[in-house]
Amino acid sequence: MEFDAVVNAVVDALKRAHTELPPDVLEAIKRAYGEEENEIARKNLEAILKNIEAAKKLGVPMCQDTGIPVFFVEVGRELCLDFDLKEAIVEGVRKATAEIPLRPNAVHPITRENSGDNTGLGIPQINVELVKGDELRMVVMPKGAGSENVSALKMMLPTQVDKIKDFVVETVKNAGGKPCPPIFVGVGVGSTFDGAAKLAKKALLRNVLEMNDFELELLEAVNELGIGAMGLGGKYTALAVLVEFGHCHTASLPVAVNIQCWANRRAEVVLR
């Protein structure tokens, strides 16, 4: 495997993530459109579907907020890399920003100086995990600010397990129409302060059509809020709630809620 192969794979993944939604996400939106009874909500969902179709046809980003590039990378333990993987990913982001093109969103937190290429201190965010095998698997998830800004984390007490649902619903209620609903909700339960947030974001990589009973219970509670498409009312405030768990300290219960807009963008690439 060579440096340029990773660079080009990153560009390809970002291009796909921004111009076409994964099949499961698209199916969830189509189902909502077919089942929605609120006329205003149906019009909004129809506009979303037309936007998705146009983005794929024209090969342009489906949203002006092309987000911050977040990568989940799995490196096979038998894979031999004789180059800097991080630098290859960073270079891929630079190239993708210029070629797709993507809006430069990465700024210094204090000076607000824009790097101009979606790279900078800790950006792109790269999460690396060692796994079995000899493959390199990368999943990119562009994360826009409208949804990220209304996400939340709470250090709950071990005795508050029964309050997890309340926190999830409260977070969505406080978000209202800001994250461009119908939304996808990732929930991280356990781990550490930062680990819970990572779990919540990682949950959004799962198939949104496959939820267990607990997740369906949370989804029902969220949709009872009636916020609806674009915050104007309707049956579907969220299309999925996905939960990931991690063992935590005996004296803590971190819970993170990472909200994603209707454009639950992600793309995967595997290199050998």
Side-chain angles (χ1 to χ4, degrees), residues 107-181:
V107 302
H108 188 280
I110 304 301
T111 66
R112 313 309 290 182
E113 181 180 355
N114 196 313
S115 66
D117 59 10
N118 283 310
T119 70
L121 299 172
I123 297 297
Q125 186 186 86
I126 305 172
N127 303 281
V128 180
E129 182 180 357
L130 292 176
V131 298
K132 294 181 180 180
D134 60 356
E135 297 178 341
L136 173 66
R137 176 175 178 261
M138 298 184 290
V139 181
V140 61
M141 180 175 68
K143 200 67 172 62
S147 57
E148 194 81 341
N149 288 350
V150 292
S151 299
L153 186 148
K154 187 173 184 178
M155 298 302 292
M156 302 176 73
L157 299 174
T159 55
Q160 295 179 303
V161 171
D162 60 342
K163 300 296 183 183
I164 292 174
K165 181 166 74 172
D166 293 340
F167 177 55
V168 174
V169 174
E170 177 189 13
T171 301
V172 176
K173 181 180 179 180
N174 291 339
K178 295 176 183 177
C180 296

Side-chain angles (χ1 to χ4, degrees), residues 4 13 36 46 55 64 92 95 134 138 195 205 224 230 236 257:
D4 287 345
E36 182 59 71
E46 181 181 8
Q64 78 278 4
K95 188 175 180 181
D134 60 356
M138 298 184 290
L205 303 182
E224 285 177 357
M230 297 300 161
Y236 290 97
V257 179

Side-chain angles (χ1 to χ4, degrees), residues 20-110:
E20 53 184 290
L21 288 180
D24 58 309
V25 175
L26 181 57
E27 177 62 24
I29 297 173
K30 287 181 176 179
R31 286 184 186 182
Y33 175 67
E35 298 173 5
E36 182 59 71
E37 299 171 354
N38 182 296
E39 190 58 31
I40 295 177
R42 278 183 59 81
K43 287 292 184 182
N44 279 315
L45 289 167
E46 181 181 8
I48 288 171
L49 288 170
K50 287 181 178 178
N51 183 88
I52 294 168
E53 183 180 2
K56 183 175 182 179
K57 182 179 180 180
L58 299 173
V60 297
M62 65 189 71
C63 179
Q64 78 278 4
D65 184 355
T66 53
I68 285 289
V70 178
F71 288 84
F72 286 87
V73 181
E74 293 181 353
V75 180
R77 289 193 290 265
E78 298 174 20
L79 182 65
C80 181
L81 297 174
D82 59 357
F83 57 87
D84 189 326
L85 178 59
K86 176 183 176 182
E87 184 52 41
I89 294 174
V90 169
E91 181 58 30
V93 170
R94 291 194 186 106
K95 188 175 180 181
T97 299
E99 292 183 2
I100 294 176
L102 304 178
R103 188 176 77 183
N105 287 324
V107 302
H108 188 280
I110 304 301

